[in-house]
Amino acid sequence: MSEITYIETTKVDRLSLFELYNDAGWSAYTKDIDKLENAIKASLYVRIAIKDEKLIGLIRVVGDGLTIIYIQDILVLEKFRRMNIGTMLMASTLQKFQDVRQKVLLTDDNNSTRLFYESLGFDSCGKLGLVSYI
């Protein structure tokens, strides 16, 4: 059984991106694969997880990298979830940007999502007396 490799890169095969984002149900991204590919290239930071030469996970960060980062995307292929891949992607990202004061993300509000992000040290805005707008 091969190991999972983690690589920092903004060069990701478009078919692999298409498969990963579709697997997550994020079809708004895959409707314009050129735009998604360009967004990946323009990101501040991208780290991918590879197994047997296949893209199985990705985290993407935008922001200035000095005072704020925004964790735009974190995805793991469904058949590889619950194997700590998302945790590894997030941990390496938080380590890289440990000196950045604001680390922000917007995500679905369900129990498993809350538990995942809270296990990594994140708090919901409401718990901090903050509000967010979209």
Side-chain angles (χ1 to χ4, degrees), residues 2-69:
S2 66
E3 292 188 26
I4 298 168
T5 305
Y6 297 89
I7 303 165
E8 182 179 339
T9 184
T10 58
K11 297 176 184 172
V12 184
D13 174 71
R14 68 189 292 131
L15 178 58
S16 297
L17 284 175
F18 185 83
E19 291 172 351
L20 182 65
Y21 279 75
N22 264 348
D23 182 76
W26 293 11
S27 59
Y29 282 94
T30 58
K31 286 179 185 173
D32 188 344
I33 195 67
D34 290 331
K35 186 180 275 188
L36 174 58
E37 190 174 37
N38 287 328
I40 296 290
K41 288 177 184 172
S43 296
L44 175 65
Y45 174 79
V46 177
R47 189 167 188 87
I48 61 174
I50 303 285
K51 182 173 176 64
D52 297 325
E53 300 183 28
K54 180 171 180 60
L55 177 67
I56 62 168
L58 175 146
I59 190 166
R60 178 166 80 98
V61 174
V62 297
D64 60 29
L66 300 170
T67 62
I68 188 168
I69 61 167

Side-chain angles (χ1 to χ4, degrees), residues 75-91:
L75 305 95
V76 175
L77 286 176
E78 186 172 2
K79 74 179 199 174
F80 291 98
R81 291 183 191 154
R82 306 261 184 245
M83 297 173 67
N84 288 322
I85 297 165
T87 299
M88 293 294 291
L89 290 168
M90 183 66 81

Side-chain angles (χ1 to χ4, degrees), residues 106-134:
L106 178 68
T107 190
D108 299 329
D109 186 12
N110 62 57
N111 194 47
S112 63
T113 301
R114 280 182 176 270
L115 289 173
F116 174 71
Y117 289 110
E118 288 173 358
S119 76
L120 296 166
F122 284 88
D123 285 314
S124 68
C125 289
K127 286 184 179 178
L128 301 173
L130 303 170
V131 65
S132 60
Y133 296 93
I134 188 166

